[in-house]
């Protein structure tokens, strides 16, 4: 999804009130919140939506009956230690979900986060956003998925280190260690067409 930084500075409480008021309005863009600054998230491309839903659907099926919950696009994740809020493309939690308050729309303990990369968000997703996500003690895996080519990067937490593994062949399977399942790349990229190089 494309992002654009706004100059508005809000407290975390003001941000949450603003986002919750915006939910009924389907035309309102979602906003992430990083240390007082609002980052507007614009609409996603067809490829982005296909990849997100393919991953979410496969995770939902694979994790059914295992005490895990899978969310796509709309579950806000908080990194309390950095006073920030994000909307990952796909979120998985496999223990009792912990929420910031009794509205149950801000998750505190994801085990797996997936971001589908866009030209306008790639640097942000790899850099600042990942730095914030690493502050979540529950997070075990962070997945970055290219939408313009076959390329998936899995970052797996091993103690204080994050180990990178690339998947670039359509015949490969993305092994998700945190949730003990595998997703075939040809299903992740089902119906996605790539630009001619």
């Amino acid at each position: 999804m494309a992002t654009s930084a706004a100059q508005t500075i809000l407290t975390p409480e003001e941000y949450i009130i603003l986002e919750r008021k915006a939910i009924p309005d389907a035309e309102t863009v979602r906003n992430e919140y990083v240390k007082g600054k609002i980052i507007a998230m614009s609409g996603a491309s067809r490829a982005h939506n296909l990849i997100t839903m393919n991953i979410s659907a496969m995770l939902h099926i694979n994790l059914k009956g295992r005490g895990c919950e899978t969310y796509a696009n709309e579950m806000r994740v908080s990194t309390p230690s950095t006073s920030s809020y994000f909307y990952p493309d796909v979120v998985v939690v496999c223990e009792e979900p912990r929420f910031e308050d009794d509205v149950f729309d801000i998750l505190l303990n994801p085990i797996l986060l997936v971001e589908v990369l866009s030209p306008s968000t790639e640097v942000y997703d790899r850099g600042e956003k990942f730095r914030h996500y690493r502050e979540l003690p529950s997070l075990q895996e962070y997945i970055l998925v290219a939408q313009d080519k076959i390329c998936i990067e899995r970052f797996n937490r091993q103690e204080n280190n994050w180990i990178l593994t690339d998947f670039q062949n359509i015949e490969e399977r993305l092994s998700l260690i945190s949730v003990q399942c595998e997703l075939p790349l040809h299903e992740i990229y089902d119906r996605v067409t790539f630009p001619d190089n």
Side-chain angles (χ1 to χ4, degrees):
M1 281 189 234
T3 63
S4 61
Q7 298 301 315
T8 306
I9 303 293
L10 300 175
T11 67
E13 295 78 16
E14 290 169 332
Y15 162 77
I16 294 302
I17 290 168
L18 177 71
E19 283 296 285
R20 287 180 175 159
K21 283 183 180 177
I23 289 172
D25 183 356
E27 295 189 18
T28 301
V29 297
R30 295 174 304 151
N31 298 295
E32 294 190 337
Y33 176 87
V34 180
K35 296 182 177 178
K37 296 181 183 174
I38 297 292
I39 300 173
M41 306 301 291
S42 67
S45 68
R46 175 178 180 264
H48 188 287
N49 282 310
L50 284 170
I51 293 166
T52 298
M53 293 314 297
N54 289 343
I55 292 171
S56 179
M58 284 188 287
L59 284 169
H60 176 73
I61 290 167
N62 277 281
L63 300 177
K64 193 170 185 168
R66 292 176 44 193
C68 297
E69 296 178 10
T70 303
Y71 307 100
N73 292 318
E74 299 301 323
M75 180 54 73
R76 194 177 304 112
V77 170
S78 172
T79 58
S81 66
T82 65
S83 300
S84 300
Y85 297 87
F86 303 95
Y87 286 97
D89 292 315
V90 180
V91 180
V92 176
V93 59
C94 284
E95 56 186 45
E96 187 63 31
R98 288 187 295 109
F99 295 94
E100 187 168 276
D101 57 27
D102 62 0
V103 180
F104 307 111
D105 63 348
I106 304 170
L107 185 68
L108 300 174
N109 62 328
I111 191 170
L112 169 68
L113 297 175
V114 178
E115 295 287 1
V116 179
L117 300 173
S118 301
S120 60
T121 65
E122 183 169 356
V123 170
Y124 174 60
D125 290 342
R126 289 180 182 286
E128 183 173 10
K129 189 181 278 192
F130 189 24
R131 281 192 296 280
H132 288 277
Y133 285 162
R134 289 193 302 259
E135 296 295 319
L136 292 164
S138 63
L139 186 65
Q140 295 301 306
E141 278 181 301
Y142 183 48
I143 310 299
L144 296 173
V145 184
Q147 64 174 305
D148 59 346
K149 61 185 174 183
I150 297 165
C151 182
I152 299 176
E153 295 166 285
R154 180 191 70 204
F155 292 89
N156 179 258
R157 185 193 300 260
Q158 293 183 8
E159 296 181 13
N160 292 327
N161 297 311
W162 289 85
I163 307 303
L164 169 63
T165 305
D166 289 334
F167 301 83
Q168 298 184 17
N169 185 318
I170 197 71
E171 301 303 321
E172 288 184 278
R173 299 173 73 84
L174 171 61
S175 174
L176 297 172
I177 299 164
S178 63
V179 293
Q180 299 178 350
C181 72
E182 293 184 343
L183 308 182
L185 267 65
H186 72 271
E187 291 187 25
I188 291 172
Y189 286 105
D190 185 44
R191 299 184 56 82
V192 175
T193 56
F194 301 107
D196 295 330
N197 293 330

